């Protein structure tokens, strides 16, 4: 009898020890700190835990925009809140079910003492599967951390795209303003010729209407710049009335070259969606092990049962309840795990293909932008030289001022194309960083564009003040009898010329010269119209 009591007490003590060990939980870790460390490794300089910094008059660069995003964007805070859910689920996996206490009372029909039946039991399934459940909870937490980090990298890439788009829109507006200046100068020239009788009303109305069209384009560019600025503010978590100072120019084209194979290898190691998919495969394998382990411990419980008989005798003993795994052996769950594993493996293969394609597309876009920039740069140099030569010809009365203004418009249009391609390069570089899962090395500038700032082109080289068309009556000048090769225009003061002293009787009639001037204007008008249509198409 004493031996039986000792065995019972030993068993109860063992059960109590197991329950106490099962109740012990590990201290919770700071998941935000781990994610911040991982993000800092992928994007050096980013600090997820820093407090918001006040916006001052300092020009905001891309790193400053990213830091503002991490510190103030509600989108980031929403993603961080998911970590709290994963931490709670991991904490819940540490716990086991509460023990079951049962009490029963019976009384004889004729009266007498009550018969009491008391039982205390504890299910063993969660106790023995607790390490596996803890591993699954850790896997789920890691998956949430990876998804959060992936989402943060996507937000960083979107911020970079919005940042470069905002600067490009500002640069386009500056270039379009220069287009307006050139068009205004051409309209003023046409106005002077029209009032002097040297241009038909139809040609003048064309140039006058062209000025309004360019003014409309300037307003569109201004609206586009405001829209891109608002998109950037919304992206980084600032209100629409928050003033920020951005650079007026896109960064210069860097000297860098990337190998597709190296980038693809880096993507296999660092790309987060690949890590998430591999983590899902490991999680499915752990879940398979858990399901198989449950077969032997499902609905198994141990406990202590005590009862008092009617005659006052007390009976105390241990009890165990076992479910026989005959019919339900989780066949459906295991089959679902097999199908999910096959699906996840196919998803992993597709993700690898996506990474390969995205890297190739980004490299192709960057290379295309670089080639286009080389061609546009050469064209800009030629256009600038043509402007200088045409300006000299106009000053010597050997060329048409309208042709000079048209060449200047073509130069401005090339500046628009240059801005588009440079923005395309930087946006493709941002997408390449997202494709490989980490930031690229800091770029090294290849060309110092400070001397070739196309948005601030100096139109003063085209000195319209030297051409005083308001005082020159071209309708009374016979250009067919003027020997320009013997005229020194550099020392000629057109403002002091007295046209009254000229023998107009020897000149051709004004109507003949006016007709000749209109014929000269028509080709220029056609060229201007073609350039205007090209500029409008590029703007759209």
């Amino acid at each position: 009898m004493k031996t039986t009591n000792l065995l019972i007490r030993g068993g109860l003590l063992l059960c109590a020890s197991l329950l106490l060990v099962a109740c012990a939980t590990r201290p919770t870790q700071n998941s935000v700190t781990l994610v911040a460390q991982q993000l800092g490794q992928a994007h050096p300089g980013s600090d997820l835990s820093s407090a918001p910094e006040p916006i001052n008059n300092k020009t905001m660069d891309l790193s400053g925009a990213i830091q503002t995003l991490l510190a103030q964007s509600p989108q980031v805070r929403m993603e961080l809140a998911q970590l709290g859910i994963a931490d709670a689920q991991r904490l819940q996996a540490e716990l086991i079910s509460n023990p079951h206490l049962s009490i029963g009372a019976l009384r004889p029909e004729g009266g007498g003492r009550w018969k009491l039946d008391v039982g205390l039991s504890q299910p063993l399934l969660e106790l023995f599967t607790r390490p596996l459940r803890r591993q699954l909870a850790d896997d789920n937490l890691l998956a949430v951390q990876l998804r959060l980090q992936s989402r943060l990298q996507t937000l960083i890439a979107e911020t970079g795209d919005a940042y470069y788009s905002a600067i490009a829109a500002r640069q386009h507006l500056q270039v379009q303003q220069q287009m307006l200046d050139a068009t205004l100068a051409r309209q003023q020239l046409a106005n002077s010729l029209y009032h002097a009788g040297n241009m038909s009303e139809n040609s003048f109305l064309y140039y006058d209407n062209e000025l309004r069209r360019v003014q409309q384009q300037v307003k569109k560019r201004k609206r586009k710049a405001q829209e891109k600025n608002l998109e950037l503010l919304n992206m980084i978590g600032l209100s629409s009335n928050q003033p920020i100072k951005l650079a007026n120019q896109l960064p210069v084209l860097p000297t860098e070259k990337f190998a597709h194979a190296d980038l693809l290898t880096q993507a296999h190691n660092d790309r987060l969606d690949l890590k998430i998919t591999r983590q899902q495969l490991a999680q499915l394998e752990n879940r398979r092990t858990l399901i198989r382990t449950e077969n032997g411990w499902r609905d198994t419980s141990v406990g202590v049962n005590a009862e008092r008989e009617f005659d006052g005798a007390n009976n105390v003993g241990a009890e165990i309840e076992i479910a026989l795994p005959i019919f339900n052996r989780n066949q459906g769950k295991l089959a679902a795990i097999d199908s999910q594993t096959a699906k996840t493996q196919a998803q992993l293969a597709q993700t690898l293909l996506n990474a390969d394609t995205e890297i190739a597309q980004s490299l192709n876009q960057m290379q295309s932008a670089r080639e286009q920039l080389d061609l546009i740069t050469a064209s800009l140099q030629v256009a600038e030289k043509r402007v200088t030569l045409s300006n000299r010809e106009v000053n010597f009365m050997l060329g048409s001022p309208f042709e000079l203004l048209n060449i200047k418009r073509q130069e401005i249009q090339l500046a628009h194309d240059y801005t588009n391609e440079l923005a395309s390069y930087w946006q493709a570089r941002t997408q390449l960083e997202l494709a490989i899962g980490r930031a690229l090395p800091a770029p090294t500038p290849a060309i110092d564009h400070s001397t070739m700032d196309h948005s601030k082109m100096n139109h003063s080289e085209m000195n319209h003040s030297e051409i005083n068309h308001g005082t020159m009556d071209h309708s009374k000048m016979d250009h067919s009898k003027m020997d320009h090769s013997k005229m020194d225009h550099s020392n000629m003061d057109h403002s002091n010329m007295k046209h009254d002293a000229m023998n107009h009787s020897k000149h051709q009639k004004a109507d003949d010269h006016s007709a000749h001037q209109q014929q000269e204007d028509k080709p220029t008008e056609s060229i201007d119209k073609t350039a205007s249509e090209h500029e409008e198409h590029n703007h759209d």
Side-chain angles (χ1 to χ4, degrees):
M1 186 65 179
K2 293 182 178 180
T3 303
T4 304
N5 292 334
L6 290 176
L7 290 176
I8 293 174
R9 292 177 181 177
L12 294 175
L13 181 61
L14 178 61
C15 292
S17 301
L18 292 174
L19 294 176
L20 290 176
V21 172
C23 293
T25 58
R26 293 177 299 179
T28 58
Q29 299 178 356
N30 191 346
S31 299
V32 177
T33 303
L34 296 177
V35 173
Q37 293 175 355
Q38 296 170 356
L39 185 64
Q41 294 175 358
H43 292 270
S46 61
D47 189 1
L48 189 60
S49 58
S50 65
E53 296 183 358
I55 304 298
N56 48 29
N57 294 328
K58 181 181 178 181
T59 301
M60 177 180 289
D61 55 5
L62 180 58
S63 61
I66 293 175
Q67 191 57 45
T68 305
L69 165 77
L70 297 177
Q72 299 194 183
S73 175
Q75 300 183 75
V76 175
R77 292 198 297 271
M78 286 189 297
E79 298 298 332
L80 291 177
Q82 295 295 328
L83 283 180
I85 299 176
D87 287 334
Q89 293 175 346
R90 186 174 67 87
L91 177 61
Q92 187 64 33
E94 297 282 338
L95 306 176
I96 63 174
S97 298
N98 296 321
H100 297 170
L101 175 64
S102 61
I103 302 175
L106 296 176
R107 186 178 182 183
E109 184 178 354
R113 301 184 63 179
W114 287 84
K115 179 183 177 181
L116 299 179
D117 188 3
V118 180
L120 180 65
S121 63
Q122 174 66 42
L124 296 182
L125 175 62
E126 295 184 354
L127 178 63
F128 287 96
T129 60
R130 184 168 180 262
L132 290 174
R133 291 187 293 106
R134 177 187 294 174
Q135 181 63 42
L136 287 174
D138 290 339
D139 293 342
N140 180 68
L141 177 61
L142 179 59
V144 172
Q145 292 175 350
L146 291 175
R147 284 194 294 268
L148 171 61
Q149 191 175 350
S150 176
R151 178 57 180 162
L152 291 178
Q153 289 191 1
T154 302
L155 291 176
I156 289 175
E158 292 175 356
T159 300
D161 186 81
Y163 176 80
Y164 291 128
S165 296
I167 295 182
R170 292 164 59 92
Q171 191 166 333
H172 276 300
L173 177 59
Q174 295 172 6
V175 173
Q176 192 66 32
Q177 186 63 47
Q178 302 299 331
M179 176 78 79
L180 177 61
D181 294 341
T183 307
L184 178 60
R186 188 173 63 170
Q187 190 269 349
Q188 293 175 349
L189 175 59
N191 184 45
S192 64
L193 292 176
Y194 170 69
H195 285 88
N198 296 322
M199 177 177 287
S200 65
E201 183 179 5
N202 185 28
S203 298
F204 167 71
L205 290 177
Y206 167 78
Y207 294 116
D208 188 63
N209 193 55
E210 183 72 6
L211 174 62
R212 285 187 288 271
R213 191 187 70 85
V214 175
Q215 288 174 341
Q216 291 177 347
Q217 293 176 353
V218 169
K219 293 183 180 298
K220 290 181 179 180
R221 293 286 186 181
K222 185 177 297 184
R223 184 197 65 191
K224 192 72 172 179
Q226 293 174 348
E227 290 177 355
K228 294 300 181 181
N229 190 72
L230 290 175
E231 290 177 3
L232 177 61
L233 289 173
N234 179 269
M235 190 70 213
I236 62 179
L238 299 179
S239 60
S240 60
N241 58 358
Q242 176 67 55
I244 58 174
K245 185 177 181 181
L246 298 176
N248 292 324
Q249 297 293 314
L250 290 166
V252 297
L253 187 66
T255 303
E256 54 187 4
K257 189 175 182 180
F258 303 103
H260 181 274
D262 296 338
L263 293 175
L264 186 58
T265 301
Q266 192 171 13
H268 288 182
N269 298 327
D270 298 330
R271 189 164 165 135
L272 291 173
D273 52 358
L274 293 175
K275 292 183 179 180
I276 292 173
T277 307
R278 296 188 186 104
Q279 181 63 25
Q280 289 175 347
L281 287 174
Q283 190 173 2
L284 288 172
E285 190 61 32
N286 290 332
R287 189 173 296 278
R288 185 197 307 275
T289 303
L290 176 62
I291 291 175
R292 288 176 176 175
T293 304
E294 288 178 348
N295 288 335
W297 298 100
R298 187 185 305 110
D299 300 330
T300 301
S301 60
V302 297
V304 178
N305 189 22
E307 63 178 12
R308 187 183 66 183
E309 299 292 345
F310 297 108
D311 56 0
N314 295 324
N315 299 320
V316 179
E319 66 177 9
I320 183 171
E321 182 180 357
I322 301 175
L324 300 178
I326 298 176
F327 305 107
N328 182 7
R329 297 190 302 275
N330 289 328
Q331 298 94 325
K333 292 182 178 180
L334 291 175
I337 291 294
D338 293 337
S339 299
Q340 291 176 1
T341 301
K343 176 183 177 181
T344 306
Q345 289 174 346
Q347 182 179 353
L348 178 62
Q350 184 61 48
T351 305
L352 290 173
L353 288 176
N354 293 342
D356 183 24
T357 302
E358 291 171 6
I359 292 174
Q361 288 177 343
S362 298
L363 290 177
N364 182 52
Q365 185 175 351
M366 293 170 64
Q367 181 62 26
S368 176
R370 186 179 292 275
E371 293 173 354
Q372 292 290 334
L373 286 172
D374 291 340
L375 295 174
I376 294 174
T377 300
S379 299
L380 275 169
Q381 293 174 353
V382 173
E384 292 172 355
K385 186 174 182 180
R386 288 192 65 195
V387 168
T388 302
L389 295 176
S390 298
N391 190 35
R392 185 182 307 170
E393 292 175 357
V394 170
N395 290 336
F396 282 91
M397 301 179 67
L398 299 176
S400 170
F402 290 100
E403 180 65 20
L404 170 60
L405 291 171
N406 180 58
I407 295 174
K408 196 64 181 178
R409 284 170 55 88
Q410 294 175 357
E411 179 189 11
I412 295 172
Q413 181 58 46
L414 287 173
H416 274 306
D417 297 339
Y418 188 93
T419 301
N420 286 331
E421 295 300 333
L422 188 58
S424 176
Y425 180 90
W426 286 109
Q427 290 172 340
R429 193 179 190 275
T430 300
Q431 293 302 316
L432 181 60
E433 292 180 338
L434 182 62
I436 65 175
R438 67 169 41 250
L440 293 170
T444 302
I447 304 175
D448 185 7
H449 294 275
S450 60
T451 59
M452 195 168 63
D453 188 355
H454 303 293
S455 66
K456 298 180 179 180
M457 292 184 295
N458 186 8
H459 296 269
S460 61
E461 295 178 358
M462 190 167 58
N463 192 353
H464 305 285
S465 63
E466 296 179 0
I467 309 175
N468 194 347
H469 302 278
T471 59
M472 294 179 63
D473 190 355
H474 296 274
S475 63
K476 299 180 180 180
M477 296 177 63
D478 187 1
H479 295 274
S480 62
K481 296 182 179 181
M482 296 179 64
D483 188 358
H484 296 279
S485 61
K486 297 180 181 181
M487 297 178 63
D488 186 3
H489 295 276
S490 60
N491 297 324
M492 181 180 294
D493 188 358
H494 295 278
S495 61
N496 295 327
M497 290 180 62
K498 296 183 179 180
H499 299 279
D500 297 337
M502 300 178 63
N503 189 359
H504 301 286
S505 62
K506 297 181 181 180
H507 291 180
Q508 294 179 349
K509 294 182 179 180
D511 295 337
D512 295 338
H513 178 73
S514 177
H516 175 69
Q517 181 66 31
Q518 291 178 10
Q519 292 178 356
E520 291 182 350
D521 290 342
K522 288 182 181 179
T524 307
E525 179 177 338
S526 177
I527 296 174
D528 292 340
K529 183 176 182 181
T530 303
S532 301
E533 293 176 350
H534 174 68
E535 196 279 332
E536 179 67 23
H537 174 72
N538 185 74
H539 173 69
D540 294 339

